[in-house]
Amino acid sequence: MRASLALAAILAVAFVASAAPAGNVVLKATLKGKYLRTTSTGSGTAAMTFTASKVCWKFTYKGLDQPGDSGIHIVPPPSPGKHKTSVFPFTAATSKAPGCVAKTHWGSHGAAWADKIVADPSHFYVIIATKKYPQGAIGGVLHRP
């Protein structure tokens, strides 16, 4: 009887998993200098879409000098002026134009990090660095909308 119940439970889980849509996952972040403990008065938003094969982003921001690097980091942010290595970098020339890269653009580890980010977005934050704030001018924690 127990074996039958266990088998039924396993089959039910397998059915639900196979029936679940693969779909895109959208994550967002509100970006502020305060989050990174900088004096930057800039602000913005980040929207990321994760698909089975790529990661796309769209930044909006204002009040920044020349934007530079952007990427996703593990929380918490370091002290002001310090920089963590991105677990998923976007681009060295951040702009308001949308962009995409293959999940494997940064190697197989990039795809693994993308999957970890989707699984638990609150453990990651996004930054936009600028010429004046090369370690990050604005940043914010990722969340599901």
Side-chain angles (χ1 to χ4, degrees), residues 46-83:
M48 262 116 299
T49 302
F50 292 79
T51 72
S53 62
K54 63 184 176 179
V55 178
C56 297
W57 60 88
K58 172 78 173 124
F59 292 111
T60 62
Y61 50 84
K62 62 182 179 181
L64 297 180
D65 61 304
Q66 182 180 351
D69 293 342
S70 55
I72 299 176
H73 301 263
I74 300 171
V75 299
S79 58
K82 303 292 182 189
H83 185 72

Side-chain angles (χ1 to χ4, degrees), residues 67-140:
D69 293 342
S70 55
I72 299 176
H73 301 263
I74 300 171
V75 299
S79 58
K82 303 292 182 189
H83 185 72
K84 287 184 173 182
T85 302
S86 295
V87 295
F88 200 96
F90 293 117
T91 177
T94 302
S95 76
K96 293 180 180 178
C100 293
V101 294
K103 281 173 69 172
T104 57
H105 181 79
W106 307 109
S108 61
H109 65 281
W113 277 112
D115 293 341
K116 289 177 186 179
I117 293 162
V118 167
D120 196 357
S122 67
H123 281 90
F124 299 90
Y125 67 98
V126 176
I127 70 155
I128 296 177
T130 67
K131 189 171 183 177
K132 183 175 180 182
Y133 297 97
Q135 307 309 322
I138 57 176

Side-chain angles (χ1 to χ4, degrees), residues 2-63:
R2 284 185 181 168
S4 297
L5 288 174
L7 179 58
I10 290 169
L11 291 174
V13 169
F15 175 77
V16 169
S18 67
N24 300 340
V25 174
V26 176
L27 301 176
K28 296 189 175 196
T30 299
L31 310 176
K32 297 181 184 249
K34 185 176 182 177
Y35 179 74
L36 298 177
R37 299 184 300 273
T38 70
T39 58
S40 172
T41 57
S43 62
T45 61
M48 262 116 299
T49 302
F50 292 79
T51 72
S53 62
K54 63 184 176 179
V55 178
C56 297
W57 60 88
K58 172 78 173 124
F59 292 111
T60 62
Y61 50 84
K62 62 182 179 181

